[in-house]
Structures are given as C-alpha cells and as structure tokens.
Amino acid sequence: MKVKPRRAVIVEDNAQMRELIHMVLGALGITEIVSAANGAEAISALQAGGADIVFMDWQMDVMDGLECTRRIRAGVDGIDPKTVIVLVTGMVGEKNAETAFAAGVDLFLEKPVSVKILHAGVEKILGRHA
C-alpha cells in the first residue's frame, strides 16, 4: 500500500458490518475511524474532519450511499471530492456496479464480504490513489 491513510469514515446502518470494516481498518493501522449510520451523518463527519477513505453502504435511511457519494464528488460544503469511496453493498450485479461507478465510487464490493476481500480491496484502491 503506497498511501498511508490516517482517517476513515464507515457509513453503514448495520452494526456488525461496521465492526467488520473497523477491524480491517484497524489491521491496516488506521486508528482514527468515525462511524455514521447514514449518508447525512457521513456528510457531517466529513465536514468536521475529512477522511482519506470512506466505506459506504448503499441502502440506508435518511440519505443512501449513492446520494452521499454524489454529494462528496460535488465537493458539498468543502468536502474533498477526491476522497476515496468504497461501496460495500447487498445490491449485487453488473448493472448495480455500473450505477455505483457512475455515481462516483472508486471500488464496488458485494455483500457478503470477507475480511480478506475487504483488506485486498483497501490495498488495491489506496495503491491506485498514491
């Protein structure tokens, strides 16, 4: 991994999935990890302190992951539009992947996802953003 991320935001309404992602990020040496239950909370967290990487679910109440991704890419309220976004979702298939990439995600991972797949995905995407 070429980029050493400092801060991550996990945007996930499922507590078990948040914990799995948190564990992977911790194993990669990321210690500043903020959790958000929906896109609106994520926007607030990003405004408050930014992030090197965001793990985003697609389907959430209040604001879903694609809307949040679009807002990040638009640089809403000073958020860095180049923030790395990994979508981890139960919305499977090529059509959903195309929709997600069109919204601006950097990496699309389908649930269920393992620690190994999450770890490899982070290594791959952060290496690409060096």
Side-chain angles (χ1 to χ4, degrees):
M1 182 167 47
K2 297 176 185 172
V3 174
K4 180 66 175 169
R6 298 176 321 272
R7 187 169 195 261
V9 175
I10 302 170
V11 191
E12 171 64 61
D13 56 359
N14 179 289
Q16 289 176 319
M17 193 64 193
R18 276 194 311 267
E19 186 58 35
L20 177 68
I21 296 168
H22 195 283
M23 185 173 59
V24 169
L25 293 173
L28 291 167
I30 301 171
T31 56
E32 189 178 348
I33 302 169
V34 177
S35 293
N38 60 60
E41 289 181 14
I43 293 295
S44 294
L46 290 166
Q47 288 170 326
D52 299 302
I53 189 167
V54 174
F55 277 82
M56 184 92 65
D57 187 17
W58 186 329
Q59 295 181 302
M60 298 174 286
D61 290 335
V62 184
M63 181 190 302
D64 71 32
L66 292 192
E67 178 61 26
C68 185
T69 296
R70 288 184 193 100
R71 290 181 183 209
I72 292 168
R73 292 295 177 242
V76 169
D77 297 320
I79 296 172
D80 182 358
K82 295 177 185 168
T83 301
V84 175
I85 301 172
V86 177
L87 188 72
V88 185
T89 180
M91 301 289 289
V92 300
E94 189 64 33
K95 183 94 170 144
N96 286 321
E98 289 171 9
T99 300
F101 285 120
V105 303
D106 295 295
L107 181 64
F108 180 87
L109 298 175
E110 295 178 352
K111 291 177 184 174
V113 66
S114 68
V115 169
K116 183 178 179 178
I117 291 170
L118 281 170
H119 191 275
V122 172
E123 292 278 347
K124 177 181 175 184
I125 200 67
L126 291 179
R128 197 181 319 153
H129 282 78

